[in-house]
Amino acid sequence: MSATRFAQDSPAMPSPRVTRRCPPQDNANAVADEAAGEHESDTPFVRTIFRMMMQRAVLMAIAVGLIHSLVFLGLGEPVWQATLIFTLACLPFHSLLSAQRPFGVFCASLFGFVCIIDAAVVYFALHFGREAGFHFLLISFFPFIAISGRIGYTMKWLLMLLHALLLVYLDKQISVQGMTTLSPYLISVLRAINLGVLACLLAGLVMHYFRIATGLQYELEQHASTDALTGLANRRRIQAATLEAASDSRRHGYPLSLLLFDLDHFKRINDSYGHASGDAVLRHIAQILQVELRSADRVGRWGGEEFLLLLPHTDLDSARLVAERIRQRVLNLPPLVGGKFLTLSATLGVATMLPAEPVEETLARADFALYEGKYAGRNRVVAAEATAPEQVPRH
């Protein structure tokens, strides 16, 4: 291991996008790719969020319907019964719009739900008149159209334009009073309620979308930075943690020690018991390492059967004791492999970052100490010399 190797393995900047000309025989594929660009927002991530948001929209529509039913009942308006019918008609769509439904069922259900909401808005706008502001509730469709998948940007703009035209048409064409006998004051109360409902709907949609998006983003980041086999940090993540720990160590003036752990004769385990057993052994080692470390420590799979451990606030002597305790635990806690307990051993290299020393050199010294231990017979802990490994001859 060398500092160069660490630098080469560090996360690289993404390369710039290169535009290639398609050869003549690929013209059909090029046309298909260009058409697909219209649907570049259609990804599994977008579809998942959209279905979750539509289910929340059903719940919001039901809540708004119940609120209006109670308001109309209190005002003595007989339309509270129609409102309740619209509300009950929305109930099945919460299940029909779930992520488990086939795409055909989802599309048909989505169309039906939108038709019910549009019909309800138009009905109440005509009944109560322009001043009641029911037609303003059509604005709540815009966020859902914007985040929908499976349709391109052109179709999204078209759908939003159609709803905007319907909103303008209702605002200009319906009468001021409508068919209701409510006083202008009560109509103004209805308008205030509708505007308040619209504001709450938009705020709730934005907050819920943000919550879903950040939650899914966190899951994606966890998948991208976690070793799938052991559940520990993968190499990329532990590299970033190493650089961060080194920076904190220099800033606050506390010692930082690195441990490189290598499971002895791991290839023999794979050859003798199979790769499934080897995977089980690596998971067993990961559990031991997690148990032995403090909450401030970090551990990640460095590659193969190697693990890297970061011990902040730990000098060389303390780090050596931690490494020896881990070695003893591995030796004394054999996993059950192939119906019998398999005795394991490990070799660990320990190094503490020196003042003004790049952490890459600290890691190189820990790696050299690890190889020293392997050449000396394995199953031991070796502390690194306070010199660069290039100055110490290898055995």
Side-chain angles (χ1 to χ4, degrees):
M1 175 76 63
S2 65
T4 303
R5 176 182 166 189
F6 183 90
Q8 289 174 344
D9 290 335
S10 296
M13 294 295 292
S15 59
R17 186 185 299 272
V18 179
T19 303
R20 299 185 301 170
R21 293 185 179 273
C22 297
Q25 64 270 24
D26 288 343
N27 282 342
N29 293 335
V31 173
D33 290 342
E34 184 176 354
E38 182 75 10
H39 302 271
E40 62 183 1
S41 62
D42 179 28
T43 65
F45 180 79
V46 173
R47 296 177 196 173
T48 300
I49 289 183
F50 181 60
R51 291 203 179 201
M52 296 174 69
M53 291 294 292
M54 287 309 305
Q55 284 191 293
R56 299 306 185 275
V58 173
L59 296 178
M60 290 180 179
I62 293 173
V64 171
L66 292 176
I67 292 174
H68 281 129
S69 296
L70 294 175
V71 171
F72 297 153
L73 183 62
L75 295 176
E77 274 285 335
V79 294
W80 71 269
Q81 298 173 347
T83 309
L84 191 58
I85 292 174
F86 279 120
T87 302
L88 294 177
C90 292
L91 286 175
F93 291 102
H94 184 267
S95 174
L96 294 173
L97 295 173
S98 67
Q100 290 73 31
R101 298 293 181 178
F103 179 65
V105 174
F106 175 80
C107 286
S109 303
L110 179 60
F111 179 77
F113 177 67
V114 171
C115 288
I116 288 177
I117 299 301
D118 279 341
V121 170
V122 172
Y123 173 79
F124 291 118
L126 293 174
H127 181 81
F128 288 101
R130 181 172 66 240
E131 291 302 314
F134 277 93
H135 54 300
F136 290 136
L137 296 177
L138 292 172
I139 297 175
S140 62
F141 277 102
F142 293 172
F144 292 103
I145 297 174
I147 67 172
S148 61
R150 301 236 184 221
I151 58 176
Y153 290 115
T154 302
M155 182 58 67
K156 290 181 179 181
W157 280 111
L158 180 60
L159 290 174
M160 286 191 283
L161 178 61
L162 290 175
H163 275 85
L165 291 176
L166 178 60
L167 174 63
V168 173
Y169 174 80
L170 292 175
D171 191 65
K172 295 299 183 182
Q173 296 300 320
I174 59 179
S175 63
V176 176
Q177 186 67 21
M179 297 176 288
T180 183
T181 58
L182 294 178
S183 65
Y185 172 76
L186 293 179
I187 291 295
S188 66
V189 171
L190 274 181
R191 181 185 181 89
I193 292 176
N194 286 327
L195 291 177
V197 166
L198 177 61
C200 292
L201 280 175
L202 294 178
L205 289 174
V206 172
M207 292 178 62
H208 191 67
Y209 180 82
F210 178 78
R211 180 181 177 183
I212 293 176
T214 52
L216 290 177
Q217 181 183 12
Y218 175 77
E219 291 181 9
L220 291 174
E221 290 176 352
Q222 286 296 106
H223 285 304
S225 60
T226 302
D227 178 62
L229 177 62
T230 62
L232 301 178
N234 60 15
R235 185 184 182 95
R236 185 183 184 91
R237 182 178 173 188
I238 196 65
Q239 280 180 336
T242 301
L243 297 175
E244 182 180 355
S247 176
D248 291 342
S249 173
R250 293 192 187 94
R251 185 183 304 112
H252 300 291
Y254 58 75
L256 172 67
S257 294
L258 308 183
L259 273 64
L260 267 177
F261 174 104
D262 183 85
L263 185 61
D264 297 334
H265 304 296
F266 180 67
K267 187 177 183 301
R268 294 182 187 176
I269 298 175
N270 279 332
D271 294 341
S272 301
Y273 299 94
H275 289 280
S277 297
D279 292 345
V281 168
L282 290 177
R283 287 191 290 267
H284 173 76
I285 293 299
Q287 292 175 356
I288 291 178
L289 296 178
Q290 288 177 307
V291 168
E292 287 298 321
L293 297 183
R294 305 164 301 178
S295 59
D297 301 332
R298 296 291 180 268
V299 58
R301 189 178 178 191
W302 191 242
E305 67 274 21
E306 286 189 353
F307 298 84
L308 175 62
L309 298 86
L310 311 178
L311 308 180
H313 301 280
T314 308
D315 57 22
L316 186 61
D317 291 336
S318 300
R320 188 188 293 112
L321 293 177
V322 173
E324 180 60 28
R325 188 169 66 246
I326 291 174
R327 188 191 69 83
Q328 291 287 347
R329 292 275 292 185
V330 172
L331 194 63
N332 296 329
L333 291 175
L336 186 63
V337 176
K340 65 177 182 179
F341 289 100
L342 181 63
T343 301
L344 304 175
S345 66
T347 305
L348 294 94
V350 185
T352 299
M353 191 171 67
L354 302 174
E357 178 187 42
V359 71
E360 294 86 351
E361 294 185 9
T362 309
L363 184 60
R365 291 193 296 111
D367 184 62
F368 185 81
L370 172 64
Y371 278 97
E372 288 263 288
K374 293 172 72 72
Y375 290 139
R378 294 183 171 85
N379 191 24
R380 63 194 65 221
V381 173
V382 178
E385 298 284 345
T387 54
E390 288 79 9
Q391 298 175 357
V392 180
R394 285 182 178 266
H395 292 170

